[in-house]
Amino acid sequence: MIVALTALLLLGGGAFGAYAYINSSTEAPPTPIAQPTTAPPTSTPPSSSPEPSPTPTTSSPEPSETSSGSADSPLTHTEFGNWNYSLKGEKYAARKVGGWTYDSCDPLDAEGVMADNDCESAVQLAYTAYGGNLKAVQVILRFPQAADAKKTATQLKNGADEKVAWRRSSAHSSFAYGAVYSGAYLNYVVVTVVTTNASAKSKARKFHTAMQTDRGIHFFMKRRDEEVVTS
């Protein structure tokens, strides 16, 4: 049965309707990530340990606010600038300190999940907040159809830390809070990793939820014409 769920939400409530729907996917707590190990490396590193190498399209951080990507434009890291969030009295902000654009998902595919689901392209973003006491890494994956994204999100659930080769050098080397959210929004999958030291731990969960939710809203509001129905 074909259900134009996203279109109904957007017509019925605009950004707030999208917020209410997408935020429901982050009601459960994020999945903890493992503390970095200081043990000597083995001769054959685990598949989840390599960091993705930037492609030739890698460029410097963008100082601007999030730009308005359109449904038919390529996915690049320059679509996303410094992050500012304000809704229902909640306000959060983070500075973009890194951005990487990938012509394929291979550099981020630690265990073959993206390849199995025909992932087309990806970007990776690095952010810092609260004077560096909180760091965030976002991986955004683009798929041909919403069904591909949904299947990938299901396979990443409770395992995104190992299955996505996210940029660990952009997180804290040790942390008081370290967790990952992942979810599908239209034909995109968003993976958000947040780490903090002890001083920012109390702010981490709400910040983390807001960042994941807001990125989902971006795709519903800016790129919804790509894929507005699910089956």
Side-chain angles (χ1 to χ4, degrees):
M1 180 178 180
I2 304 300
V3 183
L5 178 58
T6 59
L8 289 174
L9 284 165
L10 292 169
L11 288 172
F16 185 78
Y19 167 83
Y21 172 68
I22 295 171
N23 195 49
S24 67
S25 68
T26 55
E27 288 179 352
T31 304
I33 62 174
Q35 288 279 356
T37 177
T38 56
T42 61
S43 56
T44 305
S47 59
S48 60
S49 61
E51 288 186 3
S53 300
T55 67
T57 51
T58 298
S59 54
S60 58
E62 292 293 310
S64 61
E65 299 290 334
T66 300
S67 62
S68 55
S70 61
D72 58 351
S73 62
L75 181 66
T76 68
H77 82 84
T78 56
E79 184 173 331
F80 310 96
N82 295 335
W83 180 64
N84 288 279
Y85 175 92
S86 179
L87 184 67
K88 298 174 63 178
E90 294 184 31
K91 293 184 178 182
Y92 302 100
R95 181 169 58 91
K96 183 181 176 185
V97 294
W100 300 266
T101 298
Y102 304 92
D103 294 330
S104 78
C105 300
D106 293 347
L108 302 168
D109 199 357
E111 297 185 2
V113 173
M114 294 97 164
D116 289 345
N117 295 313
D118 301 320
C119 186
E120 296 178 328
S121 61
V123 300
Q124 186 162 199
L125 313 166
Y127 290 95
T128 183
Y130 305 123
N133 294 315
L134 183 150
K135 296 182 179 182
V137 177
Q138 274 197 328
V139 173
I140 301 171
L141 309 166
R142 183 175 186 171
F143 294 84
Q145 299 180 24
D148 302 316
K150 185 176 181 181
K151 183 179 179 181
T152 302
T154 299
Q155 293 175 322
L156 293 181
K157 187 177 181 180
N158 301 323
D161 181 33
E162 296 81 18
K163 296 175 182 177
V164 179
W166 58 277
R167 196 173 179 83
R168 296 175 186 272
S169 61
S170 295
H172 290 90
S173 57
S174 62
F175 44 81
Y177 173 98
V180 56
Y181 268 126
S182 60
Y185 311 97
L186 302 180
N187 54 312
Y188 295 87
V189 169
V190 177
V191 177
T192 305
V193 180
V194 167
T195 62
T196 75
N197 58 22
S199 65
K201 182 179 180 181
S202 62
K203 306 172 184 177
R205 173 67 188 279
K206 286 187 175 181
F207 181 103
H208 198 175
T209 300
M211 181 171 259
Q212 177 77 11
T213 300
D214 191 48
R215 198 61 83 209
I217 291 172
H218 172 84
F219 291 112
F220 273 74
M221 299 300 294
K222 303 296 185 182
R223 289 178 172 263
R224 63 183 180 272
D225 291 338
E226 277 188 63
E227 187 74 57
V228 298
V229 297
T230 58
S231 58

